[in-house]
Amino acid sequence: MRRLRQLAYLGITALAALAGSLTVATPAEAATPASVCGSGFYEIDHADLNSGGTLVGTVYLMYNNGTDCVVTWRSNPNATKIDMVAYVQIPNTPGQQDDNWYTTYAGPVKVYAPHTCIQWGGSMWSSGGGINAGYNSPVGHCT
């Protein structure tokens, strides 16, 4: 009986040590612009967002089989939410837009536009953090 208790104690101790050494990525840490757009998306363009000479984020244009996807990604996410925008549209149409307060990224927003020109972009703004940056693409990516 004593031997059984010792083995149980060693097993529990080993499990506790193992559990304490494991780290699990949170969804935001594990995400990438391609992964939030979905399976099969890959980058075809991007625009850096600079505020006061500092890179604060990037707007990514992703593509998969006729569908364009845009994500605005913060360079140094933290717990403070800032106003972030991601948009994509076929010119002269309402398009898709995500405009809200986020810590890490805005989007994904998608439009199905095979062989059709699009406009895309995004922005970041915070009143207290001094971030003010944006990008609006010209009409392009027509293939």
Side-chain angles (χ1 to χ4, degrees):
M1 184 64 140
R2 181 177 163 173
R3 180 76 175 147
L4 184 59
R5 274 189 269 160
Q6 286 176 332
L7 288 175
Y9 174 77
L10 288 174
I12 291 171
T13 303
L15 283 174
L18 179 61
S21 68
L22 295 177
T23 58
V24 178
T26 64
E29 291 170 338
T32 65
S35 72
V36 299
C37 283
S39 178
F41 279 88
Y42 58 93
E43 180 182 337
I44 60 171
D45 206 346
H46 72 271
D48 290 338
L49 299 178
N50 292 290
S51 181
T54 301
L55 179 66
V56 294
T58 304
V59 184
Y60 292 94
L61 175 60
M62 315 300 285
Y63 184 81
N64 182 14
N65 199 26
T67 300
D68 296 285
C69 177
V70 175
V71 179
T72 300
W73 204 269
R74 193 171 176 182
S75 295
N76 296 305
N78 59 44
T80 303
K81 291 183 178 183
I82 61 173
D83 185 21
M84 299 177 70
V85 176
Y87 79 88
V88 62
Q89 69 183 74
I90 297 170
N92 303 312
T93 68
Q96 300 294 316
Q97 177 174 304
D98 181 15
D99 181 354
N100 213 325
W101 293 81
Y102 297 110
T103 59
T104 306
Y105 63 88
V109 291
K110 299 176 184 179
V111 64
Y112 184 68
H115 311 293
T116 305
C117 300
I118 61 164
Q119 290 176 288
W120 59 282
S123 63
M124 296 180 179
W125 178 83
S126 76
S127 59
I131 296 172
N132 187 6
Y135 174 77
N136 298 302
S137 80
V139 174
H141 294 285
C142 302
T143 57

